[in-house]
Amino acid sequence: LDLLGWGFTDAGDAGIGDYSPEAKRAHLYAFWKAEIGRPVVLVGASLGGAAAIDFATAHPECVERLVLVDAQGFIEGLGPMGMLPRGLALAGVNILKTKQLRSAANQMAYCDKAQFATDDAMRVGQLHTFQPQ
């Protein structure tokens, strides 16, 4: 399942219009309830890390374990960018792939930059941006 507003539920899809933290949590819970119905190992990569933390704290009965992969704790996510035309949003994803932006995100996310904001962390954080759009 992707993060509401990205990937298969990208901005503008079916007139969703609400990409708030609450909408992301409700989207994930509806999927969990309809398709899974038992505790899961929830993985949140990059921005999905904030949504995964939010979901796990709101619905602890749904989450057995939480795995964060290069998580960025910016829960607001898309914000007004959710209304961008698809072509412009895809251009933004291409920017997210860049080493410069991923490195900058790592520098903002980690307290111990020397230990954790490494080239390996940047490459791991970059992986999900190479999924088909």
Side-chain angles (χ1 to χ4, degrees):
L1 179 69
D2 59 348
L3 185 62
L4 183 64
W6 295 92
F8 296 109
T9 56
D10 63 349
D13 182 40
I16 293 169
D18 182 3
Y19 301 100
S20 66
E22 295 79 17
K24 291 172 187 165
R25 186 182 328 115
H27 176 74
L28 181 53
Y29 182 76
F31 177 82
W32 177 87
K33 188 174 179 182
E35 301 294 330
I36 301 168
R38 60 185 172 81
V40 299
V41 175
L42 182 61
V43 179
S46 191
L47 180 62
I53 292 168
D54 180 58
F55 182 80
T57 57
H59 299 288
E61 73 281 6
C62 302
V63 181
E64 182 179 329
R65 289 194 167 84
L66 178 63
V67 178
L68 303 174
V69 179
D70 196 41
Q72 310 294 325
F74 309 114
I75 194 157
E76 292 304 323
L78 287 176
M81 292 188 304
M83 297 302 135
L84 290 175
R86 182 167 173 74
L88 194 52
L90 290 176
V93 170
N94 285 327
I95 292 170
L96 286 174
K97 292 179 183 180
T98 66
K99 181 178 180 178
Q100 295 83 358
L101 187 85
R102 297 309 308 178
S103 293
N106 280 348
Q107 291 296 319
M108 290 188 297
Y110 294 114
C111 179
D112 185 346
K113 293 168 185 21
Q115 177 79 22
F116 299 109
T118 64
D119 283 346
D120 284 342
M122 183 274 305
R123 285 190 286 276
V124 168
Q126 199 178 33
L127 283 175
H128 72 286
T129 64
F130 291 102
Q131 289 182 266
Q133 295 295 318

